[in-house]
């Protein structure tokens, strides 16, 4: 079997996603236990205990989620669809846990200015970062305010320099990979998350560009988080994994003797409430209880991966150069059997 470096994997003939690859431990680990692995990292002026961001979706990040994630050492990005931003502006956010918010292309300067009295990071929440309006908005915010700006999304690094020149501090990488995303089905756009991340990673390396990479969409389990970080992502953004927790906005619904919560795409009919172009679905996910359980499971999984790989800091994990490409049967063999 061939062991691929990042560059080798980036040259692979086909587009790859998380289930197509695995991490290959090739060193004797110095970790006495997974608890010695340090998952802390710096991200846009914040010290995170675990490089996890929540997606600014209306069924994922309201004020309760942002505050809970902050307490857990992660970062919640407030959605722009429900009343969360309004509550933040009206000082109804409770503690000072909210560190970042999303805005749309039409959010006016007076609102941005008020938001920046409360938070340091603004996420311009669009489906496609590679658009002149996004570049203009980024440039405008960077020229007129003191803020970190996250843009998104992109599926490759071809335009990365333009995003950096406009002033973007971080980019959400992933088109078509989100679990409620129908972009690829509707438009034919989108490649596998592993290939997207590597393309952006090498564009950053080759251009010596200063921008953080956020792996966004398609994360199904803690192992995928470990893979995204090993591929060089700075942080990992979650939608579905956090949806259905107690802190996610929305009611708990009892159906067929089970508890559920709603999870929907930002471009779904339920969010847009009009029949314009729909690129997202609406679904129910099992109720998961406290978000702490989800974050702890991710933290345990990532620290265990770090211990196997002998990468005891997140920066070391990002330097991983040993990956396998799995045959379909190898992939199936990895899954627990009933
Ligand atoms: P998940 O973690 O796989 O559920 O993916 C979450 C990501 O899907 C978000 O952070 C967005 O990048 C993306 N996303 C959210 N809503 C939509 C939508 O309606 N259409 C396409 N992509 C979406």
């Amino acid at each position: 079997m061939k062991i691929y470096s990042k560059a080798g994997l980036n040259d692979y003939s086909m587009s790859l996603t998380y289930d197509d690859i695995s991490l290959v431990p090739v060193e004797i680990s110095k970790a006495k236990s997974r608890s010695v692995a340090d998952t802390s990292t710096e991200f846009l002026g914040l010290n995170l205990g675990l490089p996890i961001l929540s997606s600014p979706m209306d069924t994922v990040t309201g004020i309760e989620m942002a505050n809970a994630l902050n307490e857990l050492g992660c970062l919640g990005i407030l959605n722009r669809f429900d009343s969360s931003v309004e509550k933040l502006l009206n000082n109804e956010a409770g503690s000072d846990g909210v560190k970042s918010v999303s805005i749309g292309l039409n959010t006016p300067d007076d609102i941005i200015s008020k938001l920046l009295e409360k938070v340091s990071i603004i996420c311009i929440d669009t489906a496609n970062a590679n658009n002149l309006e996004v570049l203009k908005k980024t440039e405008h915010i960077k020229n007129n305010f003191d803020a970190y700006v996250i843009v998104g999304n992109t599926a490759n690094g071809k335009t990365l320099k333009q995003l950096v020149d406009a002033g973007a501090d971080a980019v959400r990488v992933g088109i078509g990979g989100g679990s409620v995303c129908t972009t690829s089905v509707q438009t034919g756009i989108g490649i596998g998350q592993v290939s997207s991340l590597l393309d952006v990673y090498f564009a950053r390396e080759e251009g010596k560009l200063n921008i953080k990479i956020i792996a966004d969409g398609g994360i199904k389990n803690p192992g995928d988080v470990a893979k995204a970080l090993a591929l060089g992502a700075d942080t990992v953004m979650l939608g579905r994994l956090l949806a259905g927790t107690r802190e996610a906005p929305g009611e708990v619904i009892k159906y067929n003797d089970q508890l559920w919560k709603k999870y929907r795409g930002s471009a779904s009919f339920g969010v847009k409430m009009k029949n314009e172009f729909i690129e997202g679905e609406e679904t129910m996910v099992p109720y998961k209880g406290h978000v702490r359980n989800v974050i702890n499971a991710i933290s345990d999984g990532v620290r265990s991966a770090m211990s196997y790989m002998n990468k005891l800091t997140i920066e070391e994990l990002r330097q991983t150069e040993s990956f396998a490409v799995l045959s379909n049967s190898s992939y199936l063999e990895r899954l627990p059997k009933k």
Side-chain angles (χ1 to χ4, degrees), residues 55 57 153 172 178-179 181 183 216-218 237-240 263 265-268 279-280:
S55 183
M57 299 164 77
N153 281 32
R172 294 163 69 183
S179 66
C181 173
T183 302
D216 178 19
M237 181 174 276
L238 306 178
R240 179 177 291 251
Y263 178 47
S266 298
S268 65
E279 278 186 36

Side-chain angles (χ1 to χ4, degrees), residues 194-206:
V194 167
S195 301
S196 287
L197 284 170
L198 287 171
D199 201 66
V200 175
Y201 178 86
F202 282 107
R204 182 175 72 177
E205 294 289 293
E206 282 152 22

Side-chain angles (χ1 to χ4, degrees), residues 64-65 68-69 71-72 241-242 244-248 287-296:
E64 207 185 336
M65 176 67 83
L69 287 177
E71 269 168 36
L72 293 164
L241 277 191
L242 301 178
T245 57
R246 202 186 73 187
E247 292 79 0
Y287 179 64
K288 300 172 190 156
H290 203 298
V291 69
R292 191 196 313 118
N293 302 332
V294 176
I295 295 299
N296 285 347

Side-chain angles (χ1 to χ4, degrees), residues 4 95 119 183 196 233 303:
Y4 288 87
S95 74
V119 302
T183 302
S196 287
R303 283 188 289 126

Side-chain angles (χ1 to χ4, degrees), residues 202-229:
F202 282 107
R204 182 175 72 177
E205 294 289 293
E206 282 152 22
K208 296 191 171 51
L209 303 173
N210 185 17
I211 188 165
K212 298 280 188 188
I213 295 173
I214 303 170
D216 178 19
I219 299 283
K220 305 173 295 309
N221 47 48
D224 289 347
V225 175
K227 289 176 188 178
L229 295 169

Side-chain angles (χ1 to χ4, degrees), residues 150-274:
I150 301 175
V151 296
N153 281 32
T154 193
N156 61 59
K158 309 289 175 283
T159 56
L160 196 67
K161 185 166 185 322
Q162 283 145 285
L163 300 181
V164 172
D165 288 346
D169 298 291
V171 61
R172 294 163 69 183
V173 176
I175 292 185
S179 66
V180 279
C181 173
T182 55
T183 302
S184 274
V185 181
Q186 302 279 19
T187 68
I189 311 285
I191 55 172
Q193 283 301 102
V194 167
S195 301
S196 287
L197 284 170
L198 287 171
D199 201 66
V200 175
Y201 178 86
F202 282 107
R204 182 175 72 177
E205 294 289 293
E206 282 152 22
K208 296 191 171 51
L209 303 173
N210 185 17
I211 188 165
K212 298 280 188 188
I213 295 173
I214 303 170
D216 178 19
I219 299 283
K220 305 173 295 309
N221 47 48
D224 289 347
V225 175
K227 289 176 188 178
L229 295 169
L231 291 163
D234 293 287
T235 53
V236 179
M237 181 174 276
L238 306 178
R240 179 177 291 251
L241 277 191
L242 301 178
T245 57
R246 202 186 73 187
E247 292 79 0
E251 303 300 312
V252 178
I253 300 158
K254 193 165 183 195
Y255 177 71
N256 271 354
D257 281 337
Q258 273 209 336
L259 299 179
W260 308 82
K261 280 182 102 163
K262 199 187 275 181
Y263 178 47
R264 63 188 181 189
S266 298
S268 65
F269 182 78
V271 174
K272 289 188 162 184
M273 289 317 273
K274 51 184 173 201

